[in-house]
Amino acid sequence: MSSVSRAGGVTDCIPVIHPESMIRMVMSLMGAAFVLYELTMVPLQISEIVPDAMHFVVVDAVLFAFWCFDCLSHFVTGYYDQGVVEMHPVKIATKYLKTWFLCDALIILSDVVYLIISSTAAATNAADSDQISEASGAIEVLQISKGMRMIRLVRLCRLLRFRKVAELVARLVDGLHSEMGLVIVKIACLVVCIILMNHYIACAWYTLAASSEDGEDTWLNAITHASEDDLAHVYVLSFHWAVCQF
């Protein structure tokens, strides 16, 4: 059993979360689930395979609130130092500031930038929609679409949260004492990584074809049994192409 280190003083009145406590485990599991959701949905939304919808805005707001709370909770979550659980608030905050705080802060800042720019762009587009003439309408819509795609690239910063899943898997592996269990976990991790890699390649492959100029020969123009509006079918074709490259 590991010992606990916590100095006395004024900081004793600050509640500190044990790294092996139930609340920390629940937060880690929720964080891992949210990270897997973002790893899956962010490339789909950037490539516009999944169109924007109001429920995605609500989900983004919930995720933003969760990650802000998660960032703050790390200031009061103990950590292991050479087998000893450090529970002193000042040392915890200092270690977090020196390690992952900057990364977490940049990711949250990217979320803020995306929310502000996207909401401002949506309001501007709605205000200017009545002023678009019929002759320039198509060009304006194309420029708006490309601008929103560039804004969505900011969301790629969210993928940096993959380290949270890696940390949870590392803790899970450390707690396993069965060789069979270790093999199963490692195989599952490899399968998930391969699926995600092919998922990103498929989204990029679709984006290259969808963003091409009119009249260019692309694989989207070559297929005759699927419509570009049938995004689920098109994604399956793109994913199949990505898998066939291995």
Side-chain angles (χ1 to χ4, degrees):
M1 177 179 292
S2 60
S3 58
V4 178
S5 172
R6 175 161 184 172
V10 179
T11 55
D12 274 345
C13 61
I14 301 176
V16 178
I17 303 173
H18 193 281
E20 299 295 336
S21 64
M22 180 59 67
I23 185 173
R24 186 65 257 172
M25 182 60 65
V26 171
M27 289 285 293
S28 297
L29 291 175
M30 291 178 62
F34 291 155
V35 168
L36 290 177
Y37 168 83
E38 292 181 330
L39 289 174
T40 304
M41 293 303 300
V42 167
L44 289 174
Q45 292 175 329
I46 291 177
S47 60
E48 297 182 353
I49 296 177
V50 174
D52 291 331
M54 187 60 192
H55 58 273
F56 288 123
V57 177
V58 176
V59 172
D60 285 342
V62 172
L63 292 179
F64 176 72
F66 173 82
W67 292 122
C68 288
F69 178 78
D70 182 72
C71 181
L72 294 176
S73 70
H74 279 83
F75 282 100
V76 291
T77 300
Y79 64 93
Y80 285 97
D81 184 13
Q82 297 180 352
V84 179
V85 181
E86 181 59 63
M87 300 287 284
H88 191 273
V90 175
K91 292 184 178 180
I92 293 173
T94 301
K95 179 177 175 60
Y96 181 52
L97 288 172
K98 290 181 177 180
T99 53
W100 289 110
F101 172 74
L102 182 59
C103 179
D104 291 341
L106 288 176
I107 298 173
I108 292 176
L109 180 61
S110 70
D111 288 343
V112 173
V113 171
Y114 171 77
L115 292 174
I116 292 176
I117 295 179
S118 59
S119 60
T120 302
T124 303
N125 295 340
D128 296 343
S129 59
D130 297 334
Q131 301 177 5
I132 299 177
S133 63
E134 184 176 352
S136 61
I139 298 177
E140 191 72 20
V141 170
L142 181 60
Q143 291 176 344
I144 292 172
S145 177
K146 290 183 177 180
M148 290 303 296
R149 183 176 287 116
M150 293 300 297
I151 293 172
R152 291 190 183 97
L153 291 178
V154 177
R155 307 183 71 182
L156 287 175
C157 294
R158 293 184 176 188
L159 302 185
L160 294 174
R161 293 194 179 109
F162 182 74
R163 67 171 179 82
K164 294 182 179 293
V165 178
E167 291 175 355
L168 182 62
V169 172
R171 291 173 58 187
L172 178 62
V173 170
D174 290 339
L176 290 176
H177 302 288
S178 169
E179 185 175 350
M180 179 62 68
L182 291 174
V183 172
I184 293 175
V185 170
K186 291 181 179 180
I187 292 176
C189 291
L190 288 175
V191 171
V192 171
C193 289
I194 292 174
I195 293 175
L196 286 176
M197 184 183 302
N198 284 279
H199 175 62
Y200 298 145
I201 295 175
C203 292
W205 184 238
Y206 170 81
T207 302
L208 288 175
S211 60
S212 62
E213 300 293 337
D214 293 336
E216 291 186 7
D217 291 333
T218 65
W219 65 273
L220 282 177
N221 298 330
I223 57 177
T224 58
H225 58 284
S227 171
E228 290 188 29
D229 295 331
D230 189 3
L231 296 178
H233 190 184
V234 171
Y235 171 76
V236 172
L237 293 175
S238 184
F239 188 86
H240 178 264
W241 177 88
V243 172
C244 291
Q245 305 311 304
F246 290 89

